[in-house]
């Protein structure tokens, strides 16, 4: 019995199928070859546009801070500074208040970050332990504060009654523990640190303190760096608590010092007479120079430090993700 013919016929029918690659249209073959490169090009263009949208405003502030304000007003400053001048920076650093504010901000940031990170790590680890009595109740009390707040007056009265007005602790302690970061720390300890590790350490005679400091913390570098970065940025940029609780300008942080300088520059040029238009225009020019310069001065320390912590920050951002 000859089976070759049916096999050939069947093979021919399969080859003639519309889904066969050899019978696909030229447009389909072109699209199959060009799909991946076109997608890559689309992603590159999209990410390039996002980078430009983020980087260019920062770059513009830098070149505007050393350019003539008249050139900035006229729209002549795009890629390069025009009529370069450092008068704005000279006026910003002409008094000791800026340097003192920089030192105060550095102190508040270091102390506040240390207090916040230590508090959140300790509380998060304690709340992650199943053996802690009433841990769900404590966690519920923390979560309630995310929905209900006593308000600014209540916080001020608490700070005043605790004797922290016009002290560093009025800036550091009220916002030391953020509930969101506390939940992140608790989740990290529950999902990343296995319970078997604690049991093994207990069998070896390790105490809770030794287990926490010698085993848990070395395994939590990503979490620690995430908390350090977020709290350092928050403390460095904060000025509202200092505005409310601090009374002496010698204790003002940098952000509040620069704010007051800008306000004084605006007030000094207001209410001028017709004969003082030249001085008013000059004061406005200096105010514009100082405005851009103060943005650079206040953001430069963070921009200089954050790139070195980017690796740990990217790892910490994955906390709580599904693990294989």
């Amino acid at each position: 019995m000859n089976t070759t013919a049916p096999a050939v016929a069947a093979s021919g029918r399969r080859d003639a199928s519309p889904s066969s690659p050899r019978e696909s249209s030229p447009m389909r073959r072109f699209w199959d070859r060009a799909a991946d490169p076109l997608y890559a090009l689309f992603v590159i263009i999209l990410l390039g546009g996002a980078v430009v949208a983020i980087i260019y405003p920062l770059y513009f502030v830098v070149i505007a801070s050393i350019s003539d304000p008249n050139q900035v007003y006229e729209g002549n400053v795009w890629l390069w500074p025009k009529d370069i001048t450092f008068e704005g920076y000279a006026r910003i650093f002409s008094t000791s208040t800026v340097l003192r504010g920089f030192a105060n901000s550095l102190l508040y940031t270091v102390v506040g970050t240390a207090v916040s990170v230590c508090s959140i790590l300790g509380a998060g680890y304690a709340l992650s332990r199943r053996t802690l009595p009433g841990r769900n109740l404590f966690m519920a009390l923390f979560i309630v504060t995310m929905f209900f707040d006593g308000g600014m007056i209540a916080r001020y009265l608490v700070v005043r009654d605790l004797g922290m007005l016009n002290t560093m602790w009025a800036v550091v302690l009220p916002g030391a523990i953020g509930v969101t970061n506390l939940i992140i720390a608790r989740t990290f300890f529950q999902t990343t640190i296995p319970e078997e590790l604690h049991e093994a350490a207990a069998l070896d005679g390790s105490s809770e303190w030794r287990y926490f400091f010698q085993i848990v913390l070395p395994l939590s570098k990503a979490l620690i760096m995430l908390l350090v970065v977020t709290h350092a940025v928050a403390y460095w940029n904060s000025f509202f608590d200092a505005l409310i609780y601090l009374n002496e300008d010698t204790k003002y942080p940098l952000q509040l010092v620069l704010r007051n300088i800008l306000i004084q520059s605006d007030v000094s040029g207001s209410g001028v007479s017709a004969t003082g238009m030249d001085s008013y225009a000059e004061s406005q020019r200096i105010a514009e120079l100082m405005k851009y310069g103060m943005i650079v001065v206040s953001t430069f320390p963070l921009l200089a430090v954050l790139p070195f912590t980017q690796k740990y920050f990217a790892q910490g951002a994955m906390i709580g993700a599904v693990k294989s």
Side-chain angles (χ1 to χ4, degrees):
M1 182 176 181
N2 189 6
T3 59
T4 305
V8 172
S11 175
R13 285 195 298 269
R14 287 195 298 268
D15 292 343
S17 175
S19 61
S20 175
R22 289 179 295 177
E23 297 297 330
S24 59
S25 63
M27 182 61 67
R28 177 64 179 272
R29 292 196 300 269
F30 171 78
W31 178 252
D32 290 340
R33 289 194 301 267
D36 290 341
L38 287 177
Y39 175 76
L41 180 62
F42 171 76
V43 171
I44 292 174
I45 294 176
L46 182 63
L47 294 180
V51 169
V52 172
I54 296 172
I55 297 298
Y56 179 75
L58 300 176
Y59 175 73
F60 176 80
V61 169
V62 173
I63 61 176
S65 66
I66 58 175
S67 300
D68 185 7
N70 295 328
Q71 297 289 343
V72 177
Y73 275 133
E74 295 174 1
N76 297 328
V77 178
W78 285 87
L79 297 177
W80 310 106
K82 301 289 185 179
D83 299 336
I84 296 178
T85 176
F86 295 94
E87 186 178 1
Y89 290 102
R91 288 182 175 268
I92 291 175
F93 292 102
S94 60
T95 60
S96 60
T97 56
V98 173
L99 298 178
R100 185 168 56 243
F102 187 92
N104 291 336
S105 288
L106 186 62
L107 176 63
Y108 300 157
T109 301
V110 173
V111 175
T113 301
V115 171
S116 297
V117 172
C118 293
S119 301
I120 291 176
L121 288 177
Y125 172 74
L127 292 171
S128 68
R129 303 297 304 150
R130 296 184 178 91
T131 56
L132 177 67
R135 68 187 186 111
N136 293 329
L137 175 61
F138 289 126
M139 200 65 219
L141 293 177
F142 278 112
I143 294 177
V144 165
T145 62
M146 301 178 67
F147 300 95
F148 301 97
D149 189 359
M152 183 177 63
I153 297 178
R155 288 196 300 269
Y156 181 86
L157 294 177
V158 170
V159 172
R160 186 198 64 182
D161 293 342
L162 292 176
M164 295 190 302
L165 282 181
N166 202 35
T167 64
M168 175 184 65
W169 304 112
V171 180
V172 171
L173 293 182
I177 298 181
V179 180
T180 302
N181 290 330
L182 179 61
I183 295 175
I184 291 175
R186 174 177 174 266
T187 303
F188 176 86
F189 291 131
Q190 285 181 336
T191 59
T192 305
I193 309 298
E195 183 65 23
E196 292 78 9
L197 194 61
H198 181 267
E199 295 175 357
L203 290 176
D204 291 337
S206 174
S207 64
E208 288 287 348
W209 289 100
R210 184 178 180 183
Y211 172 72
F212 177 71
F213 285 105
Q214 295 188 1
I215 298 179
V216 174
L217 290 185
L219 296 176
S220 308
K221 292 181 180 179
L223 172 66
I224 295 173
M225 291 306 302
L226 174 66
L227 296 177
V228 168
V229 170
T230 54
H231 285 92
V233 172
Y235 278 111
W236 182 267
N237 290 328
S238 66
F239 74 93
F240 190 70
D241 288 344
L243 180 63
I244 297 175
Y245 303 129
L246 300 182
N247 302 325
E248 300 178 8
D249 55 358
T250 57
K251 299 179 180 179
Y252 286 170
L254 178 63
Q255 306 293 341
L256 190 54
V257 170
L258 298 180
R259 170 184 174 275
N260 292 339
I261 291 176
L262 183 59
I263 292 176
Q264 291 173 3
S265 299
D266 291 338
V267 172
S268 64
S270 62
V272 294
S273 60
T275 58
M277 290 302 295
D278 293 339
S279 61
Y280 172 75
E282 180 64 17
S283 64
Q284 289 298 106
R285 188 182 73 85
I286 297 300
E288 288 298 317
L289 279 174
M290 295 176 64
K291 178 178 68 176
Y292 290 113
M294 285 185 289
I295 296 175
V296 175
V297 170
S298 60
T299 57
F300 177 77
L302 293 180
L303 294 178
V305 173
L306 289 181
F308 297 98
T309 63
Q310 183 65 28
K311 178 180 67 174
Y312 299 100
F313 185 77
Q315 294 175 359
M318 297 300 296
I319 292 175
V322 177
K323 300 181 182 295
S324 57

